[in-house]
Structure formats: C-alpha cells, structure tokens
Amino acid sequence: MSIAIQTKFISPTNTKGSRISAKAEGGRSVIIPSDNAMSPEQNHLAAARAFIKKYDYGAGQQFTLVNGGSADKGYVFIPVFKWTNYYKGR
C-alpha cells in the first residue's frame, strides 16, 4: 500500500508566518511552520515526514521519501518502505 503526499507552500498572513501543508487522499493533512534555515525542498520534505508521523503511516517501518515531482507551489512525495525479514517471510 502506498500513498502520494502532496505538499504546498502557504503564504504568510498578518498573524501567521509562512507554512507548509501536507495532505493525502482521504482528507488527512498536517501544517507545519516554514523554517527559514532550510531550503524550500527540505521544508516540504519535513512536512511530508510530519504527515507520516502524525498518522503513523507504515507502523514504524523504515522508509525513504522519494520526490515524485513538483506540483503547484509544492511537491509530491511517495514513501518507499524498506523490506524487512518480517515481510520476506510472508
């Protein structure tokens, strides 16, 4: 089972700084503040990781986030899970 996580830059307002949202099919989403010390891609990657952590996607398995390309004001990330002995035996 795999998902595509779409991230998007949210411009600052009078009361909030710039933020990055990450969402996937099904309406789940997370919003994190943008970190000026990181590059734009690093900020979007951090949002995708926050999404996975918040919804416990993958049940603690090791994974790599692959950048599937850029989207309007953001990126699309796909988590690729590493094979473990647990899965090899099934």
Side-chain angles (χ1 to χ4, degrees), residues 21-72:
S21 71
K23 65 180 180 177
E25 190 174 301
R28 293 180 168 185
S29 67
V30 65
I31 298 175
I32 65 167
S34 182
D35 183 346
N36 292 333
M38 296 193 304
S39 71
E41 187 171 357
Q42 289 172 327
N43 273 298
H44 287 264
L45 181 61
R49 288 190 180 280
F51 178 91
I52 288 175
K53 183 176 180 180
K54 178 177 180 180
Y55 294 107
D56 196 25
Y57 184 75
Q61 294 295 313
Q62 291 183 340
F63 65 91
T64 301
L65 278 170
V66 177
N67 185 346
S70 61
D72 184 37

Side-chain angles (χ1 to χ4, degrees), residues 12-17 19:
T13 65
N14 288 337
T15 58
K16 295 181 182 180
R19 296 159 288 150

